[in-house]
Amino acid sequence: MRTLITKIKELHQTETSDTNSKPITRVAGKAMAEIPSIKDAWLVIENGLIQGFGSMAELPELTADEVIDASGRMVLPAWVDSHTHIVFAQPRDGEFTDRIKGVSYEEIARRGGGILNSATKLNEMDEDALYAQSLERLTAVMNQGTGAIEIKSGYGLTLEGEMKMLRVIRRLKENAPIPVKASFLAAHAYPAIYKNDKEGYIRLIIDEMLPRVAGEGLADYMDVFCEDGFFGIEETDRLLEAGWKYGLKPKIHANQLHYSGGVQTGVKHNALSVDHLECVGEAEIESLRHSSTMPVLLPGAAFFLGIQYQPARRIIDAGLPVCLATDYNPGSCPSGNVPLLLSIACTQLKMSPEEAINAVTVNGAAALELEHELGTIKTGKKANIIITNKIPSLAYIPYDYGNNPVYRLIC
Amino acid sequence: MRTLITKIKELHQTETSDTNSKPITRVAGKAMAEIPSIKDAWLVIENGLIQGFGSMAELPELTADEVIDASGRMVLPAWVDSHTHIVFAQPRDGEFTDRIKGVSYEEIARRGGGILNSATKLNEMDEDALYAQSLERLTAVMNQGTGAIEIKSGYGLTLEGEMKMLRVIRRLKENAPIPVKASFLAAHAYPAIYKNDKEGYIRLIIDEMLPRVAGEGLADYMDVFCEDGFFGIEETDRLLEAGWKYGLKPKIHANQLHYSGGVQTGVKHNALSVDHLECVGEAEIESLRHSSTMPVLLPGAAFFLGIQYQPARRIIDAGLPVCLATDYNPGSCPSGNVPLLLSIACTQLKMSPEEAINAVTVNGAAALELEHELGTIKTGKKANIIITNKIPSLAYIPYDYGNNPVYRLIC
């Protein structure tokens, strides 16, 4: 099966096929403002892989089973959403109203709402029903251009509940047309019965859950909600060390509410990424500078909670890469809409459209170790791409906020 | 033609049919937190009007040409978007990137970008093309639940350009299935050729444009961009007075960038509404308290520009009404998405979901003098309503941000 896309107005995020040139695996600092592009271009896909691309002026003679006329349309790599919690049982619209009336996220958690609320609902729900509605959410975000996704456990908080979530993620992996990665996040909150025995829950995770999860190959990564009042530095240290013993690379929640030292702990354990980062100062930047850990910002959650935004400019201006992800979850960000995330990143974090798009394509792929498979337009990579509606520029995607720029996702 | 909607999960914004009770024409202060509703309800529409509604337990025997099963769905009045500029020739995605890089909105205007940029493009565009793309935008916002809309001129800035815009709005009025109101906004910016002759432009508006616009019945309202550096208090005074002579009630832009006295000037001229209101203090509130002028907040523009949000809580807590509108325009808010506006109002302005919904239904209708026709569910009013997707609560609409809650708009 060969598909030819012709007359593409602009083909974005192109990499040269020259085998001597270094592959683009992540972009940082000033380079984030650049997106290599070809105007009036063609692209050929064969058996799901990019077989070639170039300028229409140099279109080779070839036969194709399908020809897509992309006049007026942009083609670019699909979004990689590297941080989500889309397997959940119920929305939490009730708590939303409480928060508006001034109850803090931490206070809601203390009242047994928040994550524990989601855990109760999830443990009550049948695995098939959970799968069906998670697949519905996945399909909805694919319609908005998401071409690869990470999904976390963490609403089980029991051995059986966590296993159920991870099995649902595995079914999504097997059945969804896009790459899915699973993170094990039992350390998301302390379940009510361990309220006065936090050590007991840590031991449950390390001694019972991890061997089962790893034994069944249910997780790609180890995640911890590292935060004052949740899992502190010492607990995070132990959990990440335990995860590594089973080959689970860390990908952690850090510095959402406090300068907790979470970023430094992630870097110390060679985390693939540290995610959230509302609270980032010089120490965090210094730590990231000497690492390959990807800083992942989740401004959709900051928007929804009405808290301070992440200092994206400061991180980029320090020469670091920035990745953006949605954090799609029922409590702090009930949206997996990446185009809207780009709008928030541009208008609130003052990222340029190019920086924001790099953050959810190349850098998104890097945050899921998919940088050699997708994230740029390169011969041999997966054809994991978006064809946009007819739009005047790449900047129009975040500019036209609240509307979906995606005409078609190819994956 | 009679339509019966049955098994409605919740019918919202209902008014009693008791002719002795006072009609709800606007809601203010604490009352904004309330939305009268009927659970498990029915509603009958005959020839476009609401003929009756009530609880399913008391469904009368009746025949209907169409029966809509609304199991799991909410029914509520359609959104009234009382402030838009949807007739424009081109998006301004280029300026978007400039602004992110730190160029101010005022600086872009000084460079001949901004409104003058839109005016150049509009004056070059053929009337039919302008109509066609404006209708496309109108259709798009109707799909997001907008059931009545106001549209402004103000990208002509010449007699002919303003007349062209207003004729396009009249065609939309004649052809769109929803009520459309037109505001005359020649006083949106000073055209380049009047840069050094501001008095000349004021005279052009008052002596030439107004008689033509009013003579052809092209406008319902008189609008002025009252702001330091644009049209000051004295100019606004003269323009509103001139508008009144032709029966054009004022509906003005006020206090977006400065404490300019615009609110007080609007109130003095008995404006139907004063819109924007990022800068509202005690003097503005005091002025509004003694008036029937509706404060209209445009947080979508504040979001997009990354400036301070309007103090909605302060206005509501002072016992005043609040209306929300999108400000859909190519420069400062390229989105007419009311569901997303509700999310911004709840998360950033800390309005409760009920307050936000009142602000775009009852109070939206009042800001367009449509409060006796639509804006609530009342026997005899227009059936201008939204049937939502299957959602758990009214709060879910702003909660589920970035997604469209509308299953069907009936108008």
Side-chain angles (χ1 to χ4, degrees), chain A residues 92-93 303 330 334 348 393 399 402, chain B residues 92-93 303 330 334 348 393 399:
Chain A
R92 301 212 308 260
D93 40 310
F303 167 78
Q348 310 304 310
S393 69
Y399 164 85
Chain B
R92 302 211 309 261
D93 41 311
F303 167 78
Q348 311 305 309
S393 68
Y399 164 85

Side-chain angles (χ1 to χ4, degrees), chain A residues 344-407:
Chain A
I344 295 173
C346 292
T347 58
Q348 310 304 310
L349 278 59
K350 307 299 174 196
M351 291 174 73
S352 74
E354 291 78 11
E355 288 171 339
I357 289 170
N358 268 315
V360 293
T361 54
V362 189
N363 287 351
L368 291 184
E369 299 180 292
L370 293 169
E371 67 272 30
H372 298 290
E373 286 178 50
L374 43 82
T376 64
I377 303 293
K378 190 181 180 186
T379 302
K381 274 195 171 181
K382 276 190 183 149
N384 190 276
I385 62 174
I386 288 166
I387 305 177
T388 70
N389 293 329
K390 295 187 178 186
I391 58 175
S393 69
L394 205 59
Y396 190 82
I397 295 174
Y399 164 85
D400 184 39
Y401 83 92
N403 292 316
N404 184 5
V406 177
Y407 170 67

Side-chain angles (χ1 to χ4, degrees), chain B residues 178-334:
Chain B
I178 66 171
V180 174
K181 298 266 187 164
S183 297
F184 172 55
L185 178 58
H188 198 191
Y190 291 97
I193 57 160
Y194 286 97
K195 203 175 140 189
N196 299 314
D197 179 21
K198 294 189 169 176
E199 177 60 22
Y201 188 56
I202 305 272
R203 291 251 59 90
L204 177 69
I205 296 174
I206 294 176
D207 298 341
E208 296 186 45
M209 292 188 186
L210 255 175
R212 284 286 300 279
V213 165
E216 298 193 21
L218 284 170
D220 299 297
Y221 304 116
M222 179 75 184
D223 198 348
V224 174
F225 188 43
C226 176
E227 192 62 68
D228 298 358
F230 291 83
F231 296 84
I233 296 303
E234 196 203 331
E235 287 86 358
T236 303
D237 253 335
R238 289 170 60 201
L239 288 159
L240 297 188
E241 209 172 289
W244 263 126
K245 285 191 185 146
Y246 294 94
L248 298 185
K249 204 174 267 193
K251 235 182 121 60
I252 70 167
H253 288 67
N255 294 51
Q256 179 182 14
L257 307 171
H258 303 98
Y259 290 83
S260 61
V263 167
Q264 293 88 326
T265 303
V267 167
K268 177 179 137 192
H269 288 276
N270 201 17
L272 183 57
S273 70
V274 285
D275 302 17
H276 261 301
L277 309 192
E278 278 81 351
C279 303
V280 164
E282 209 37 61
E284 285 74 17
I285 284 177
E286 219 23 58
S287 167
L288 287 165
R289 213 194 288 276
H290 301 288
S291 79
S292 59
T293 298
M294 176 68 74
V296 178
L297 312 188
L298 311 172
F303 167 78
F304 190 72
L305 296 175
I307 62 174
Q308 65 180 325
Y309 287 100
Q310 297 83 359
R313 281 258 58 84
R314 188 166 177 185
I315 301 172
I316 295 171
D317 293 346
L320 290 169
V322 155
C323 172
L324 291 164
T326 65
D327 196 19
Y328 191 175
N329 78 77
S332 60
C333 187

Side-chain angles (χ1 to χ4, degrees), chain A residues 9-327:
Chain A
K9 182 173 173 169
E10 293 170 16
L11 176 64
H12 290 284
Q13 207 79 277
T14 52
E15 268 194 81
T16 167
S17 310
D18 180 353
T19 47
N20 290 324
S21 72
K22 212 177 150 203
I24 299 175
T25 52
R26 62 190 231 161
V27 287
K30 286 203 174 74
M32 286 197 71
E34 306 295 328
I35 294 193
S37 305
I38 300 172
K39 286 194 177 171
D40 196 25
W42 59 273
L43 177 99
V44 171
I45 299 163
E46 188 152 13
N47 299 325
L49 299 180
I50 295 170
Q51 205 201 23
F53 58 88
S55 157
M56 283 300 283
E58 293 155 8
L59 177 63
E61 278 200 33
L62 48 80
T63 55
D65 305 289
E66 183 192 20
V67 177
I68 300 172
D69 180 341
S71 300
R73 303 181 190 279
M74 309 285 177
V75 170
L76 69 161
W79 323 129
V80 180
D81 191 353
S82 66
H83 183 131
T84 85
H85 308 248
I86 71 165
V87 175
F88 59 85
Q90 272 194 20
R92 301 212 308 260
D93 40 310
E95 292 174 14
F96 172 61
T97 308
D98 289 342
R99 270 198 308 97
I100 291 166
K101 292 182 178 156
V103 186
S104 75
Y105 188 57
E106 284 154 306
E107 174 59 24
I108 287 171
R110 270 193 290 272
R111 288 181 189 180
I115 294 164
L116 296 188
N117 183 352
S118 284
T120 306
K121 298 294 192 301
L122 186 129
N123 281 296
E124 286 164 359
M125 183 171 269
D126 164 57
E127 190 165 325
D128 287 340
L130 194 58
Y131 170 72
Q133 65 172 28
S134 301
L135 183 61
E136 217 172 279
R137 285 182 205 117
L138 188 64
T139 307
V141 299
M142 285 173 58
N143 288 336
Q144 292 161 337
T146 298
I149 198 165
E150 182 254 23
I151 311 172
K152 300 176 189 300
S153 72
Y155 296 131
L157 310 185
T158 60
L159 173 62
E160 200 31 63
E162 288 293 305
M163 295 290 286
K164 179 162 75 176
M165 279 190 82
L166 290 164
R167 284 193 303 267
V168 166
I169 301 173
R170 180 165 64 190
R171 277 170 79 180
L172 292 171
K173 251 189 215 207
E174 288 164 357
N175 299 315
I178 65 170
V180 174
K181 298 265 187 165
S183 296
F184 172 54
L185 178 59
H188 199 191
Y190 290 98
I193 56 160
Y194 286 96
K195 203 174 138 189
N196 298 315
D197 179 21
K198 295 189 170 177
E199 177 59 22
Y201 188 55
I202 305 271
R203 292 251 58 92
L204 177 69
I205 296 174
I206 294 176
D207 297 341
E208 296 186 44
M209 293 187 186
L210 256 175
R212 285 285 300 278
V213 164
E216 299 193 21
L218 284 170
D220 299 296
Y221 304 116
M222 178 76 183
D223 199 347
V224 173
F225 187 45
C226 176
E227 192 61 68
D228 297 359
F230 291 82
F231 296 84
I233 296 302
E234 195 202 333
E235 288 86 359
T236 303
D237 253 335
R238 288 170 61 201
L239 288 159
L240 297 187
E241 210 172 288
W244 263 126
K245 287 192 183 145
Y246 294 94
L248 297 184
K249 201 175 270 194
K251 231 181 125 60
I252 70 168
H253 288 67
N255 294 50
Q256 179 182 13
L257 307 170
H258 303 98
Y259 290 83
S260 61
V263 167
Q264 293 89 323
T265 303
V267 167
K268 176 179 140 192
H269 288 276
N270 200 17
L272 183 57
S273 70
V274 285
D275 303 18
H276 261 301
L277 308 192
E278 279 81 350
C279 303
V280 165
E282 210 34 64
E284 285 74 17
I285 284 177
E286 220 20 61
S287 166
L288 287 164
R289 215 193 287 274
H290 301 287
S291 79
S292 61
T293 297
M294 177 68 75
V296 179
L297 312 188
L298 311 173
F303 167 78
F304 190 72
L305 296 174
I307 63 174
Q308 64 182 325
Y309 287 101
Q310 296 83 0
R313 281 259 58 84
R314 189 167 176 184
I315 300 172
I316 295 171
D317 294 346
L320 290 170
V322 155
C323 172
L324 290 164
T326 64
D327 196 21

